[in-house]
């Protein structure tokens, strides 16, 4: 790619490219559109043109996908975004570019875009382009500054007040919700907040006794491994006084505060027990069990599984484990290392939970702690693990940072994480070499793409070192390979060489059932067969079945870390709202 433009020419170059792009879209001419993209170019659309999340690479392919959408969407009025970050020079994945935030309109509503422009063959061309639907015209999010007029909330002496209305809304005595959300942690609360502000009647159900209990009940030492600055929920950022890494109980309490402040309808101690899809009516027929044992039948048009990738524990069938005379617990119900002082423990699994549990046992005074490694694991120091969030250190408004975070089409996203992995490995060289000397098997993701892509493919398989790795290196925590175990017996693990690794406690840090499996179990095989893949990447690099349509009408999934839930809950909410309005199917 040719040299970059001077600082003085940046705004004019950005505006000029937008004018040319707008004119090319109006023309509908494939060649004219393709000529505005660089040789290496990628377009990510998030609902603006395609009503889906789609990634396309190559100028001809971009034009070929874009042109058939133009009649339906009629994009127009492309302009630099007023009041947002101005066009600027940036270096992304080693490429010098002009990063431009712009706005445009379609028949559906206002949209945002991010283009990264380079100079090639003497012309300004797009290296990356992302187009994102921002709102549905006529159904704007009131939190964006267009508040409801207080017609419905005027003083009404002798009538219902706000509390009366809230109680009635939450009771669902005379109606069913349009959307039933399963799970009241970060995913469920985020989508409920988005939908509620869009005027979509939404009920969240959670089998726990209190909002946040899915976090409270996890192991005693649990603290988030990514920084507070990226983890806010929609509309309500965490207090600035909060610690960098949030403890689980602090987060759980915030979820209760959030649900109350955002006026969300939540039924706790309520479990979805089963149901099916009524194709003739276009609704679900679902059964809920309440805290008092009563059953409630509900017929929403949509169901969102927001019960996370860490909900139903997986208990592997381990030979001889039933003969073990000690205690067996899954890491989700492990509790505290203080309960096992002076005892011997085996921890099966070397992901985040396995490391955290082993460290908690060790520092709490367990007599002997040994981890069992089943497969190679990705390890990165806690400091270096924050590298993917470096964007959030840039001095631009938070809403712009979220927009920029979604603006990297997968080929660029993957390339970025490969570069980050190289830097992480160099920075963590001493730690990683120490682990290798102890026999720990390391993995750096598919094509060395690092922890974030491992998470999006597998939902686990990595560890941000908060101290456990050094305990392994120093020999304070033992390590054995699962392949060296013959079976489990009454006293512990029976090794292939005939020796026994004794234990009083075996902790299974073996992961959780996926959301698609949970949906199949609750809604039946016919629904399960229609869903299709959930989580992991499709051929274009978009997540499969996550915050986008599945193979089953009216069934959606939302999961991920707090940042993913904050950003993509909006994407999901817009799709559900559009279907409620009949804009798209």
């Amino acid at each position: 790619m040719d040299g970059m433009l001077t600082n003085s020419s940046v705004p004019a170059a950005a505006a000029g490219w937008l004018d040319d792009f707008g004119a090319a879209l109006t023309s509908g001419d494939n060649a004219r559109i393709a000529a505005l993209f660089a040789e290496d170019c990628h377009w990510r659309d998030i609902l603006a043109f395609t009503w889906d999340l789609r990634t396309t690479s190559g100028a001809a392919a971009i034009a070929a996908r874009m042109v058939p959408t133009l009649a339906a969407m009629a994009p127009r009025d492309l302009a630099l975004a007023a009041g947002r970050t101005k066009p600027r020079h940036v270096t992304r994945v080693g490429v010098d570019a002009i990063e431009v935030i712009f706005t445009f309109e379609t028949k559906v509503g206002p949209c945002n875009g991010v283009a990264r422009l380079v100079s090639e063959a003497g012309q300004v061309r797009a290296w990356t382009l992302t187009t994102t639907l921002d709102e549905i015209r006529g159904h704007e999010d009131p939190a964006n500054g267009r508040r409801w007029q207080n017609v419905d909330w005027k003083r009404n002496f002798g009538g219902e007040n706000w509390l009366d209305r809230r109680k009635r809304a939450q009771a669902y005595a005379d109606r069913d919700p349009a959307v039933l959300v399963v799970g009241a942690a970060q995913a469920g609360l985020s989508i409920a907040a988005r939908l509620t502000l869009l005027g979509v009647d939404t009920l969240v159900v959670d089998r726990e006794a209190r909002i946040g209990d899915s976090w409270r009940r996890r192991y005693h030492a649990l603290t988030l491994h990514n920084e507070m600055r990226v983890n806010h929920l929609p509309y309500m950022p965490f207090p600035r006084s909060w610690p960098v890494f949030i403890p689980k109980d602090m987060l759980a309490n915030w979820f209760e505060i959030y649900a109350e402040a955002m006026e969300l309808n939540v039924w706790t101690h309520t479990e979805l027990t089963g149901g099916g899809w009524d194709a003739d009516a276009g609704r679900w027929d679902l059964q809920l069990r309440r805290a008092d044992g009563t059953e409630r039948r509900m017929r929403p048009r949509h169901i969102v599984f927001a019960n996370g990738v860490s909900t139903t524990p997986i208990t592997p069938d381990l030979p001889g484990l039933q003969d073990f005379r000690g205690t067996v617990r899954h890491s989700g119900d492990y509790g505290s290392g203080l309960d096992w002082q002076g005892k011997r423990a085996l921890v099966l699994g070397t992901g985040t939970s396995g490391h955290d549990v082993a460290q908690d046992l060790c520092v709490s005074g367990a007599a002997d702690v040994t981890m069992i490694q089943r497969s190679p694991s990705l390890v990165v120091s806690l400091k270096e693990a924050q590298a993917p969030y470096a964007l959030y250190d840039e001095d631009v408004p938070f809403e712009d940072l979220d927009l920029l975070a979604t603006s990297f089409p997968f080929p660029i996203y993957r390339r970025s994480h490969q570069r980050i992995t190289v830097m992480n490995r160099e920075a963590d060289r001493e730690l990683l070499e120490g682990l290798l000397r102890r026999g720990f098997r390391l993995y750096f993701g598919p094509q060395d793409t690092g922890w974030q892509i491992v998470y999006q493919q597998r939902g686990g398989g990595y560890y941000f070192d908060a101290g456990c790795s050094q305990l392994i290196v120093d020999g304070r925590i033992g390590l054995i390979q699962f392949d060296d175990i013959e079976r489990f017996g009454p006293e512990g693990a029976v090794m292939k060489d005939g020796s026994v690794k004794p234990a009083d406690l075996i902790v299974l840090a073996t992961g959780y059932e996926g959301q698609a499996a949970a949906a199949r179990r609750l809604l039946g095989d016919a629904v399960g067969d229609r869903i299709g893949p959930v989580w992991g990447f499709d051929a274009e690099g978009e997540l499969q079945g996550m915050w986008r349509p599945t193979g089953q009408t009216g069934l959606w999934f939302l999961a991920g870390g707090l940042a993913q839930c904050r950003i993509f809950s909006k994407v999901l909410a817009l799709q559900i709202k559009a279907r409620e309005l009949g804009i798209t199917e």
Side-chain angles (χ1 to χ4, degrees):
M1 294 184 182
D2 300 339
M4 252 345 281
L5 299 159
T6 63
N7 286 330
S8 61
S9 62
V10 164
W17 185 87
L18 287 174
D19 287 343
D20 291 343
F21 186 46
L25 292 176
T26 300
S27 75
D29 183 86
N30 288 54
R32 190 171 172 183
I33 292 171
L36 293 169
F37 288 85
E39 183 177 353
D40 174 26
C41 61
H42 312 275
W43 170 42
R44 187 184 195 194
D45 183 59
I46 304 177
L47 310 184
F49 285 75
T50 62
W51 273 119
D52 198 353
L53 290 86
R54 303 299 300 268
T55 294
T56 313
S57 297
I62 289 171
R65 173 165 281 172
M66 196 173 282
V67 167
T69 71
L70 297 180
M73 292 303 185
R76 67 184 188 277
D77 300 336
L78 281 73
L80 298 177
R84 304 192 73 162
T85 303
K86 295 180 179 179
R88 57 185 181 144
H89 279 300
V90 297
T91 300
R92 304 292 191 202
V93 198
V95 175
D96 292 328
I98 296 172
E99 192 168 74
V100 183
I101 295 178
F102 65 97
T103 58
F104 62 102
E105 297 281 336
T106 70
K107 288 182 178 179
V108 175
C111 301
N112 294 314
V114 177
R116 294 185 181 88
L117 308 177
V118 296
S119 179
E120 183 178 87
Q123 293 184 313
V124 176
R125 292 176 174 167
W127 167 47
T128 72
L129 173 69
T130 298
T131 48
T132 305
L133 177 66
D134 188 38
E135 294 190 297
I136 297 173
R137 192 175 295 106
H139 302 275
E140 291 82 3
D141 188 334
N144 289 339
R146 293 175 288 278
R147 303 286 182 185
W148 287 295
Q149 299 301 311
N150 290 327
V151 175
D152 291 335
W153 303 104
K154 63 184 178 181
R155 292 174 178 84
N156 188 12
F157 298 104
E160 281 189 326
N161 68 3
W162 172 86
L163 183 58
D164 296 329
R165 295 188 183 198
R166 285 297 300 133
K167 288 179 178 178
R168 178 163 55 84
Q170 292 185 82
Y172 286 94
D174 56 356
R175 74 192 197 286
D176 288 341
V179 181
L180 183 79
V181 177
V182 181
Q186 65 266 23
L189 297 179
S190 293
I191 187 61
R194 299 284 193 187
L195 288 168
T196 298
L197 282 180
L198 288 177
V200 179
D201 193 357
T202 301
L203 171 64
V204 184
V205 298
D206 195 291
R207 63 188 180 188
E208 302 289 352
R210 289 175 61 193
I211 296 173
D213 274 357
S214 60
W215 282 86
R216 285 189 194 90
R217 290 194 306 98
R218 298 185 70 185
Y219 55 89
H220 188 71
L222 177 60
T223 296
L224 294 189
H225 287 73
N226 48 12
E227 295 181 359
M228 182 266 282
R229 63 196 169 108
V230 302
N231 279 335
H232 308 290
L233 293 177
Y235 309 115
M236 281 181 61
F238 296 126
R240 295 181 66 181
S241 60
W242 275 31
V244 172
F245 299 103
I246 304 172
K248 68 178 180 70
D249 298 288
M250 195 175 195
L251 182 65
N253 291 345
W254 182 257
F255 287 166
E256 282 190 309
I257 294 168
Y258 183 84
E260 180 66 27
M262 294 303 301
E263 302 180 53
L264 306 183
N265 298 331
V266 183
W267 286 4
T268 55
H269 222 143
T270 300
E271 188 169 6
L272 172 64
T273 58
W277 174 248
D278 184 342
D280 293 334
R283 290 176 175 270
W284 292 95
D285 191 349
L286 304 175
Q287 291 79 48
L288 304 177
R289 181 182 299 120
R290 301 298 309 276
D292 60 3
T294 59
E295 301 280 340
R296 170 70 186 266
R297 181 185 180 192
M298 281 195 165
R299 293 176 59 79
R301 289 182 289 275
H302 305 268
I303 181 171
V304 179
F305 279 90
N307 50 341
V309 294
S310 302
T311 301
T312 304
I314 293 174
T315 303
D317 184 14
L318 301 173
L321 188 62
Q322 70 278 5
D323 299 326
F324 179 58
R325 290 201 291 256
T327 300
V328 179
R329 289 185 182 171
H330 192 273
S331 58
D333 298 315
Y334 146 75
S336 170
L338 296 172
D339 300 330
W340 298 95
Q341 291 179 338
K343 303 295 186 180
R344 301 160 300 180
L346 293 173
V347 180
L348 176 61
T350 49
T352 298
S353 295
H355 279 88
D356 278 356
V357 167
Q359 182 174 355
D360 188 42
L361 286 163
C362 179
V363 301
S364 297
D368 182 81
V369 182
T370 298
M371 297 183 75
I372 303 171
Q373 186 172 30
R374 294 195 296 171
S375 59
S377 299
L378 192 153
V379 175
V380 59
S381 65
L382 190 59
K383 176 183 177 182
E384 295 301 319
Q386 310 309 313
Y389 304 122
L391 177 70
Y392 284 82
D393 290 328
E394 297 183 10
D395 187 20
V396 300
F398 193 79
E399 67 172 359
D400 289 358
L401 293 174
D402 274 355
L403 179 63
L404 294 174
T406 64
S407 70
F408 296 95
F410 185 73
I412 307 304
Y413 179 79
R414 177 178 56 205
R415 200 180 308 167
S416 172
H417 283 278
Q418 286 173 325
R419 291 168 62 91
I420 289 170
T421 302
V422 170
M423 293 186 292
N424 288 166
R425 291 177 67 173
E426 181 58 34
D428 291 339
R429 178 188 295 273
E430 183 177 349
L431 177 68
L432 298 178
E433 288 179 348
L435 287 171
L436 289 170
R437 286 194 298 271
R438 292 281 293 149
F440 194 97
R441 292 182 293 152
L442 293 171
Y443 173 62
F444 298 99
Q447 299 177 311
D448 289 352
T449 47
W451 72 264
Q452 203 160 64
I453 287 180
V454 168
Y455 173 66
Q456 290 167 332
Q457 283 198 326
R458 297 169 48 187
Y462 62 89
Y463 170 57
F464 298 172
D465 178 37
C468 187
S469 292
Q470 193 60 51
L471 295 174
I472 296 171
V473 171
D474 294 342
R476 293 181 60 190
I477 292 177
L479 178 70
I480 58 179
Q481 295 296 325
F482 184 77
D483 289 344
D484 293 330
I485 297 174
E486 180 70 32
R487 58 183 172 81
F488 290 88
E491 304 300 324
V494 180
M495 310 303 292
K496 289 181 178 178
D497 64 6
S499 63
V500 174
K501 183 63 180 175
D504 303 295
L505 169 71
I506 296 177
V507 179
L508 304 177
T510 46
Y512 296 83
E513 175 185 75
Q515 287 177 293
R520 177 183 291 274
R521 176 166 44 78
L522 291 167
L523 302 177
D525 287 338
V527 170
D529 290 343
R530 288 193 291 268
I531 289 172
V534 177
W535 214 241
F537 298 102
D538 65 15
E540 296 178 1
E542 296 291 349
L543 284 181
Q544 300 176 116
M546 188 59 56
W547 46 73
R548 61 194 299 204
T550 66
Q552 169 61 59
T553 302
L555 191 150
W556 309 84
F557 294 97
L558 181 65
L562 277 81
Q564 287 175 303
C565 292
R566 177 184 68 249
I567 293 170
F568 289 103
S569 59
K570 179 177 180 178
V571 174
L572 176 52
L574 286 171
Q575 293 174 83
I576 292 176
K577 181 67 175 181
R579 283 158 175 78
E580 288 291 286
L581 294 170
I583 295 173
T584 186
E585 296 181 355

